[in-house]
Amino acid sequence: MPKIIDGKKISQEIKDELKEKVAHLKKQGTEIALAVIQVGEDPASSVYVRNKKRACEYIGIKSVAYEVPEATTQEELLEIIHKCNENPEINGILVQLPLPKHIDEDTVIKAIAPEKDVDGFHPQSVGAMTIGEPGFLPCTPAGIIQLLKRSGIEIEGKECVIVGRSNIVGKPMALLLLRENGTVTICHSRTKDLREVTKRADILVVAIGKPKFIDETYVKEGAVVIDVGIHRNENNKLCGDVDYDKVAPHTTAITPVPGGVGPMTIAMLMNNCVESALM
Ligand code: NDP
């Protein structure tokens, strides 16, 4: 039987540790505030924003909401970010993605002051991560490292294969696994013979964005499988990029969807907020 990596439990542990830290900081007179900016009313984004605000409340971080209409211009959004950059009472700034099509995401990400970039998407944060300097780490890959470590899964010396090379998951995942001394391979849509590469993995991280794409034919017997994908299937049930029922029996450990990687992303965002107050 594989070990089911319980992201809900591990994320709760992290949130409880952070709650204690925040209470301690409060006693010393340090309050932490996160600006949460949402443009428009995309239902999925609204759920994510609500969950982030709830996590803030649980930990003792003040969340300052900016919920602005879909028609907000790029200049208006940049002005809000600028004000938050300048406001000493705000430690972290989060702009919920995706943004409406008339707004350029890269310009918005670059407008956030790097010392308040709790999502870890600013080029300065990415550069710092790449050369191993202090800075904010992107939440999903940082959460996956925590899942592995807190589940007692050794990374050092392991063959780590990542399927997907996005800026928010695949590429930073590769850098963080490398930092932990894994031997890292990244696959993408132009990879020749994907199965041959994924079957080498001791640790397989799947962030491909296609429901149940990875079945047992892609997985080495006894591998650890981390599923980053989130989708709703035909019955409106959540599923991942991995076909869990087919793959799980061939693994030593696997993350479920829901309850695997998802909860870790918010826990690591909270971790970055706490760190932002200590910088
Ligand atoms: P993207 O769509 O940005 O990237 C998908 C990657 O998969 C691309 O690099 C693409 O390659 C690669 N790919 C697509 N098809 C194939 C294929 N047939 N063979 C090999 N590689 C392929 O996705 P994200 O990284 O943003 O997200 C991935 C998944 O994770 C999504 O389901 C998303 O919803 C989920 N997600 C979950 C989070 C969480 O908190 N749990 C957080 C963020 C994302 P190429 O570059 O060549 O196009």
Side-chain angles (χ1 to χ4, degrees), residues 1-241:
M1 280 292 282
K3 176 187 171 74
I4 296 166
I5 301 175
D6 189 344
K8 234 175 147 177
K9 181 164 158 273
I10 296 172
S11 67
Q12 189 60 44
E13 279 167 21
I14 293 173
K15 284 192 279 186
D16 287 336
E17 290 164 15
L18 292 170
K19 193 175 180 169
E20 258 182 50
K21 268 195 200 168
V22 170
H24 186 68
L25 284 168
K26 267 192 188 153
K27 277 193 198 140
Q28 296 176 325
T30 305
E31 295 271 350
I32 308 177
L34 171 69
V36 182
I37 307 172
Q38 185 183 1
V39 184
E41 287 166 11
D42 171 61
S45 291
S46 298
V47 172
Y48 288 129
V49 164
R50 200 180 321 130
N51 289 342
K52 287 169 187 174
K53 285 191 205 155
R54 267 196 206 137
C56 282
E57 203 177 317
Y58 180 77
I59 289 164
I61 294 174
K62 183 177 166 196
S63 61
V64 184
Y66 292 88
E67 277 147 23
V68 296
E70 178 92 14
T72 301
T73 65
Q74 181 162 307
E75 285 61 40
E76 286 165 337
L77 176 58
L78 292 176
E79 186 51 35
I80 296 171
I81 293 171
H82 184 63
K83 279 195 180 137
C84 293
N85 284 342
E86 299 288 303
N87 184 347
E89 281 170 18
I90 290 194
N91 306 90
I93 302 172
L94 177 138
V95 179
Q96 185 62 44
L97 303 178
L99 290 166
K101 289 206 166 40
H102 63 277
I103 299 178
D104 180 50
E105 281 185 3
D106 285 345
T107 307
V108 169
I109 289 168
K110 284 182 194 153
I112 298 171
E115 66 276 13
K116 298 191 179 188
D117 172 39
V118 286
D119 257 335
F121 295 159
H122 191 285
Q124 190 169 312
S125 308
V126 177
M129 172 179 59
T130 307
I131 59 173
E133 283 197 351
F136 294 112
L137 300 179
C139 303
T140 303
I144 292 170
I145 296 290
Q146 285 300 315
L147 276 183
L148 293 169
K149 284 189 171 175
R150 289 176 185 243
S151 304
I153 294 163
E154 181 100 27
I155 302 170
E156 182 160 330
K158 294 285 170 63
E159 286 283 346
C160 304
V161 176
I162 301 148
V163 191
R165 58 173 165 181
S166 70
N167 288 338
I168 61 165
V169 187
K171 279 184 208 154
M173 188 74 254
L175 287 164
L176 295 185
L177 287 166
L178 186 60
R179 198 188 257 198
E180 300 296 331
N181 299 315
T183 301
V184 180
T185 307
I186 309 181
C187 304
H188 44 76
S189 65
R190 316 284 170 90
T191 298
K192 284 186 187 144
D193 199 353
L194 183 64
R195 266 190 195 84
E196 186 269 321
V197 186
T198 57
K199 280 202 116 168
R200 282 189 239 144
D202 300 315
I203 299 175
L204 178 63
V205 180
V206 187
I208 192 171
K210 295 190 169 152
K212 297 191 180 184
F213 184 94
I214 297 290
D215 65 16
E216 74 282 14
T217 64
Y218 289 85
V219 179
K220 178 168 85 176
E221 204 64 36
V224 172
V225 175
I226 306 291
D227 187 355
V228 186
I230 313 177
H231 313 275
R232 288 217 173 260
N233 71 10
E234 57 283 0
N235 305 320
N236 207 30
K237 267 186 73 184
L238 288 174
C239 71
D241 288 349

